[in-house]
Amino acid sequence: MSQWQLVSNSPVPQWFIDAVREYTPNSSGKYGAQLLWQRGIADRETLAAFINPECYQPSSTVAFGEEMSQAIARLVLAYEKGEKVSIWGDFDADGVTSTSVLWEGLGQFFPQNIQLDYYIPNRLTESHGLNYAGIAQLAASGTKLIVTCDTGSTNLEEIVYAGNLGIDVTVTDHHTLPESRPPVVGIINPRYLSEDHPLYHLSGVAVAYKLVEALYQALPEIPQQPLEYLLDLVAIGLVADLVSLQGDCRYLAQQGIKQLKKQADPRTANRPGVTRLLELCRRNGDRPTDISFGLGPRINAVSRIHGDASFCVELLTSRDSKRCHELASETELANTRRKSLQKDTANQVKKKLQRIDLSTTSVIVLEDSGWQGGVLGLVAGQIAQEYGRPTILLSSSEDEKGIIYARGSARSVNNIDLYQLMKSQEHLLHRFGGHPFAAGLSLKLENLPLFQEGINQQFNQQLDVTKIGANIEADLLVTVADLGQCLFRELSLIEPCGMGNPVPKLLIKNCLFKNVWNSNIKDKQGKKVQYIKTTFNLSDQSCDRIFPGVWWGHYKDEVPQDISCDVIVELDFNSYAKQYEVRLIALRPNSEEFSFNHSQVPEDTIIDRRDSSLDDKDFNLDDSQFMIIDRCPLTWTEIQQQYRNAIACEQKLVLNYHRPESVQAQEVLRQFITTVKELAVTEELITKEQLQDRIGLGDRSLNLGLQILEKVGFSWYQDEEDYKFKQEFLISNIEIDRDINLFLLAATEEQFQREYFYRVPLSIITKQLV
């Protein structure tokens, strides 16, 4: 159960509301002013620079000091001597756009594919950062200078190896600094600056852009392409990466989105690959969400699925429309596969978590040799948000020397510095790197138990345990009547959003869900993807109209209907449907309506029977008074729900009717309910044939059984051949004696038929009889 908190609102001066209204003349300005005031924008000058990038003074490349001077001097020398330069990139969206910025920017000085090439490690077979094999390959091709982007700061041994092969190295990066300066020509990393410096939060692509900017200044007569043509690539990497969009980061993202918008217009587009990606994701390029939910995931998906992301540089920089369309289609297909793989992996992780005592777990660490490493970062982020704990997910495999390594990704939550937590266990790690909110790591599988225990101990000793738990902070309290264009324009004033400036979350109280429906997403070829979205309409007493919304990754049976709820949502504009809508973040039914008869529940007592030394006689209770649960609950609400459902099912489904029907048929019903309960807990999908063969049900008895389920607190959803079951919060009091009679009669008849056709599968018998 997540904790909700509404940001405390201090009074906003009327002069500030009036100033904000100048940017949104057709609205009241009160919500935009309140939001900006909360985020520290408190005077006219700061407001103007925050909203309008033309009023912001960007920082000079001189801020990087001697490191930048040495890096530029070495590039100028390479230009004058005609040396070969190689770009060493990374495989995520920030790394790919960084490589693309250097490929296009340095390409103004060094002929591409002659004096300039690039190397991007394979996500699935290599790792982040420099490696010996790749360096040797570049040395063999005649490279004299490597320029890294979005990587390289801590690769000290690899940099020395490059030097031994006669290759100089310049590092551009934004990740954690090494303890001592590496032996490089120059290391351009904003983490050397003070934390309040406007350049401190630059991502890898922004640092690469600053290097190109400095080279443009050093050799101004050479470039034929304007520097600002690179800004759309900068915006994609900035928004897609986990960096704080403040200072120069915000400025570059704002200017870059202006450039990106041109790619959606055939009259101004000059990147056919980006144009085609925008078409495929049905975006206009004028919103940060067009990157975070459109371009970014697609670029990232290529390495997650294929490992090799090198062709993404061609996709982003080539002017060949036909080739770019082919590459964009490959990218779209990879993203479709990524969605399905991500959902499947997340379900597997949640099943493992059911077997863990989360009350004693501060950092989630899980490993499975069957997991695809490419999606572990995405799933780790999803689990961290949902469970309110830093999450590390690993997949193990054997290397060429027979050593089994566990490799994976880590994601943080609640401003917990995950990098420092992992650094405390670096004696157990093979490699690791990243920043406070996201990191990658590898370690010998045999070290995993010690690592898991050590990182949890470190958290408990040094960090505030109150940070554990999923916390959602709402920025504004609004009504359904407030939703729409005017509010959207006010909230858009704070864009682009990201870390340090999150998307505004809106709290709406006492609203109802209507017209709830869900469907699978389909790929470009119309094939179903195992990734669900639920659509709905919201209403409340503030107005007579309803407002559309969507809940990604959830089924319709997870949405309470005809029950007053509080919800937290984000307001967005759907450019494909041409409508404003909300994205559901969290919901909770109002406690007054979402309750049950507590008089059915015994005293508020939990008896932990995991200690085998305890005997039933110690409790003076018989087994019928116990509710047995197979995992440690997170909240009392969860216990109450399970108890109520258990009582209801016992009252309605324990068959003590003493009827003349077959005792075997009664056992079939009992087994049916038990199986469905297990499927509901594990969220496992099952086909109709599998369910029938497992229990021994024909079509008629199955349909009657499903009718009984609906009346005793279960819901079920059928997606083509698959069934999914769930125990609901509400239990109906409808009499079901007649339904049980019909089921038993049908089951008895089917048992007779099965005995006659004893060697033929029941599902086949039923089809033949029908």
Side-chain angles (χ1 to χ4, degrees):
M1 298 291 288
S2 58
Q3 300 296 318
W4 293 13
Q5 182 178 354
L6 181 64
V7 176
S8 58
N9 296 318
S10 57
V12 181
Q14 186 61 44
W15 69 263
F16 190 75
I17 297 176
D18 294 339
V20 171
R21 192 184 299 122
E22 294 176 7
Y23 296 95
T24 57
N26 295 323
S27 65
S28 68
K30 65 174 184 178
Y31 286 122
Q34 185 176 328
L35 191 60
L36 289 162
W37 192 264
Q38 288 172 1
R39 301 196 177 185
I41 311 300
D43 60 73
R44 291 183 182 274
E45 183 178 350
T46 306
L47 176 65
F50 187 82
I51 294 176
N52 183 4
E54 304 302 330
C55 297
Y56 180 84
Q57 181 59 50
S59 302
S60 168
T61 59
V62 175
F64 290 104
E66 190 63 23
E67 298 290 350
M68 180 67 84
S69 299
Q70 293 174 359
I72 294 301
R74 183 64 183 88
L75 281 168
V76 170
L77 179 63
Y79 171 76
E80 293 172 345
K81 296 177 63 175
E83 293 179 326
K84 184 177 180 182
V85 177
S86 293
I87 303 161
W88 190 292
D90 198 25
F91 41 69
D92 64 7
D94 190 26
V96 166
T97 52
S98 300
T99 307
S100 300
V101 163
L102 291 182
W103 176 246
E104 202 164 282
L106 297 183
Q108 296 294 307
F109 305 88
F110 302 91
Q112 293 175 342
N113 297 314
I114 300 175
Q115 281 183 255
L116 186 69
D117 62 5
Y118 57 86
Y119 183 96
I120 297 178
N122 187 301
R123 182 194 284 264
L124 303 181
T125 60
E126 298 175 79
S127 184
H128 295 279
L130 297 164
N131 61 66
Y132 295 122
I135 294 170
Q137 178 181 323
L138 295 180
S141 71
T143 294
K144 296 301 180 182
L145 173 64
I146 291 177
V147 180
T148 77
C149 53
D150 194 36
T151 194
S153 290
T154 57
N155 294 134
L156 304 185
E157 295 179 359
E158 291 82 356
I159 291 169
V160 171
Y161 176 74
N164 292 336
L165 295 179
I167 301 176
D168 292 332
V169 178
T170 291
V171 170
T172 72
D173 194 10
H174 72 119
H175 293 100
T176 305
L177 297 171
E179 294 182 358
S180 59
R181 184 185 183 280
V184 294
V185 173
I187 177 169
I188 305 165
N189 190 320
R191 290 185 174 271
Y192 281 116
L193 305 172
S194 62
E195 291 189 18
D196 59 352
H197 196 284
L199 295 172
Y200 181 78
H201 294 289
L202 293 185
S203 72
V205 67
V207 179
Y209 175 81
K210 283 295 184 182
L211 178 71
V212 175
E213 179 184 338
L215 188 57
Y216 266 57
Q217 293 167 352
L219 300 172
E221 304 300 324
I222 305 301
Q224 299 300 305
Q225 175 178 282
L227 181 65
E228 57 267 23
Y229 278 21
L230 299 174
L231 286 172
D232 50 359
L233 301 177
V234 175
I236 294 171
L238 272 169
V239 174
D241 205 44
L242 293 174
V243 295
S244 181
L245 292 180
Q246 301 176 19
D248 276 53
C249 282
R250 178 177 176 82
Y251 166 79
L252 290 171
Q254 286 173 312
Q255 297 287 38
I257 289 172
K258 288 183 181 180
Q259 189 71 21
L260 180 63
K261 184 179 179 181
K262 297 178 181 179
Q263 305 305 330
D265 186 343
R267 297 168 299 180
T268 56
N270 65 342
R271 297 189 187 280
V274 175
T275 300
R276 183 56 181 157
L277 285 179
L278 288 172
E279 291 172 356
L280 289 171
C281 62
R282 299 167 179 175
R283 303 278 178 168
N284 296 325
D286 59 346
R287 300 280 317 290
T289 49
D290 294 352
I291 298 170
S292 54
F293 294 109
L295 301 178
R298 281 161 172 78
I299 295 170
N300 277 321
V302 173
S303 64
R304 297 185 193 282
I305 298 302
H306 300 300
D308 185 5
S310 298
F311 79 70
C312 287
V313 176
E314 183 180 1
L315 172 65
L316 296 178
T317 62
S318 173
R319 290 349 186 220
D320 184 337
S321 295
K322 182 179 179 180
R323 175 62 174 161
C324 286
H325 275 235
E326 295 173 356
L327 297 177
S329 296
E330 286 292 320
T331 303
E332 185 70 13
L333 181 59
N335 190 51
T336 300
R337 293 174 58 190
R338 184 272 306 171
K339 290 178 181 178
S340 182
L341 185 60
Q342 179 182 349
K343 183 173 180 62
D344 183 55
T345 305
N347 288 336
Q348 293 179 39
V349 170
K350 290 178 182 179
K351 288 179 183 178
K352 286 181 176 286
L353 287 172
Q354 291 175 358
R355 301 192 293 268
I356 293 177
D357 186 351
L358 289 174
S359 66
T360 61
T361 302
S362 300
V363 181
I364 294 171
V365 182
L366 296 174
E367 179 274 334
D368 193 302
S369 60
W371 287 341
Q372 161 68 274
V375 298
L376 292 185
L378 292 173
V379 178
Q382 180 181 335
I383 297 298
Q385 290 294 329
E386 187 171 340
Y387 289 81
R389 291 160 170 79
T391 300
I392 302 172
L393 301 181
L394 304 160
S395 178
S396 59
S397 61
E398 187 174 313
D399 69 1
E400 63 279 1
K401 297 180 180 179
I403 302 173
I404 301 177
Y405 284 96
R407 299 178 176 87
S409 297
R411 295 293 185 267
S412 190
V413 70
N414 298 339
N415 293 318
I416 297 169
D417 191 333
L418 182 59
Y419 183 86
Q420 290 302 321
L421 276 175
M422 292 204 307
K423 187 173 178 58
S424 70
Q425 307 301 310
E426 63 180 328
H427 58 286
L428 297 171
L429 300 177
H430 173 59
R431 298 183 69 172
F432 79 103
H435 45 78
F437 305 107
L441 71 158
S442 65
L443 72 162
K444 290 182 179 179
L445 186 61
E446 63 188 37
N447 289 344
L448 185 57
L450 288 175
F451 173 77
Q452 187 173 16
E453 180 181 358
I455 199 167
N456 272 276
Q457 287 182 353
Q458 183 72 14
F459 183 100
N460 295 333
Q461 292 171 5
Q462 296 192 5
L463 297 177
D464 183 0
V465 293
T466 61
K467 290 186 176 182
I468 288 295
N471 299 310
I472 304 178
E473 194 172 68
D475 299 282
L476 301 169
L477 176 63
V478 301
T479 65
V480 172
D482 295 318
L483 301 175
Q485 184 182 64
C486 290
L487 179 58
F488 177 80
R489 287 178 175 175
E490 291 189 38
L491 301 184
S492 297
L493 293 176
I494 74 163
E495 290 185 349
C497 296
M499 296 192 66
N501 184 42
V503 176
K505 291 181 174 54
L506 311 177
L507 172 62
I508 306 174
K509 292 188 173 182
N510 303 317
C511 58
L512 293 173
F513 287 93
K514 297 182 178 181
N515 306 323
V516 181
W517 188 250
N518 62 241
S519 61
N520 278 97
I521 296 174
K522 294 183 178 180
D523 64 17
K524 184 184 174 185
Q525 300 173 339
K527 296 180 180 178
K528 182 183 67 174
V529 181
Q530 287 298 322
Y531 195 78
I532 290 292
K533 71 171 181 179
T534 293
T535 58
F536 56 84
N537 293 121
L538 278 183
S539 67
D540 67 6
Q541 295 182 348
S542 66
C543 63
D544 295 330
R545 69 185 176 98
I546 55 177
F547 197 84
V550 63
W551 198 13
W552 291 98
H554 293 268
Y555 289 86
K556 67 177 182 180
D557 55 12
E558 299 177 65
V559 179
Q561 300 187 51
D562 301 319
I563 297 174
S564 177
C565 297
D566 295 342
V567 299
I568 293 180
V569 299
E570 295 173 356
L571 181 60
D572 197 10
F573 179 74
N574 186 326
S575 58
Y576 177 71
K578 306 298 182 185
Q579 69 177 15
Y580 296 95
E581 64 184 21
V582 293
R583 280 197 303 270
L584 183 60
I585 304 301
L587 68 85
R588 61 184 183 194
N590 290 324
S591 57
E592 294 82 3
E593 299 185 40
F594 207 58
S595 60
F596 60 93
N597 185 1
H598 288 269
S599 64
Q600 294 180 339
V601 183
E603 294 182 6
D604 292 340
T605 302
I606 295 178
I607 301 175
D608 187 345
R609 301 183 70 183
R610 290 175 291 183
D611 188 341
S612 59
S613 65
L614 299 177
D615 190 34
D616 288 352
K617 65 184 180 180
D618 297 327
F619 304 111
N620 297 318
L621 295 170
D622 58 53
D623 287 339
S624 65
Q625 293 173 287
F626 282 104
M627 176 184 69
I628 307 300
I629 54 180
D630 59 1
R631 65 185 181 89
C632 183
L634 300 179
T635 65
W636 278 101
T637 302
E638 182 181 345
I639 300 173
Q640 291 166 345
Q641 176 190 345
Q642 291 189 40
Y643 182 84
R644 184 199 51 216
N645 285 337
I647 291 295
C649 287
E650 285 297 319
Q651 290 174 343
K652 295 182 182 292
L653 300 174
V654 175
L655 305 179
N656 53 5
Y657 298 100
H658 304 290
R659 296 172 181 171
E661 287 86 2
S662 167
V663 173
Q664 189 175 358
Q666 296 181 22
E667 182 59 32
V668 169
L669 179 56
R670 191 189 299 271
Q671 184 183 355
F672 176 56
I673 298 299
T674 301
T675 300
V676 168
K677 289 172 69 176
E678 292 174 354
L679 292 170
V681 169
T682 61
E683 299 184 349
E684 179 183 351
L685 298 177
I686 189 170
T687 67
K688 178 181 177 180
E689 286 75 15
Q690 289 172 336
L691 186 60
Q692 288 178 312
D693 291 341
R694 181 184 298 186
I695 302 169
L697 292 176
D699 285 347
R700 175 165 172 74
S701 57
L702 175 61
N703 290 333
L704 291 169
L706 292 174
Q707 293 176 22
I708 294 173
L709 291 177
E710 292 178 340
K711 296 181 179 181
V712 296
F714 289 88
S715 66
W716 55 275
Y717 166 74
Q718 185 179 11
D719 182 8
E720 295 186 359
E721 297 182 353
D722 294 331
Y723 283 88
K724 180 180 180 181
F725 296 95
K726 183 179 180 182
Q727 279 188 280
E728 297 289 359
F729 283 89
L730 297 179
I731 299 290
S732 171
N733 290 319
I734 297 174
E735 292 296 327
I736 61 171
D737 286 358
R738 181 176 177 277
D739 300 89
I740 292 177
N741 277 329
L742 291 173
F743 178 90
L744 294 176
L745 288 170
T748 301
E749 177 64 21
E750 289 169 354
Q751 287 159 9
F752 172 78
Q753 295 170 355
R754 183 169 63 254
E755 290 174 6
Y756 183 71
F757 298 102
Y758 66 96
R759 290 189 184 277
V760 183
L762 182 63
S763 57
I764 298 177
I765 293 173
T766 307
K767 291 176 182 177
Q768 291 177 343
L769 289 173
V770 172

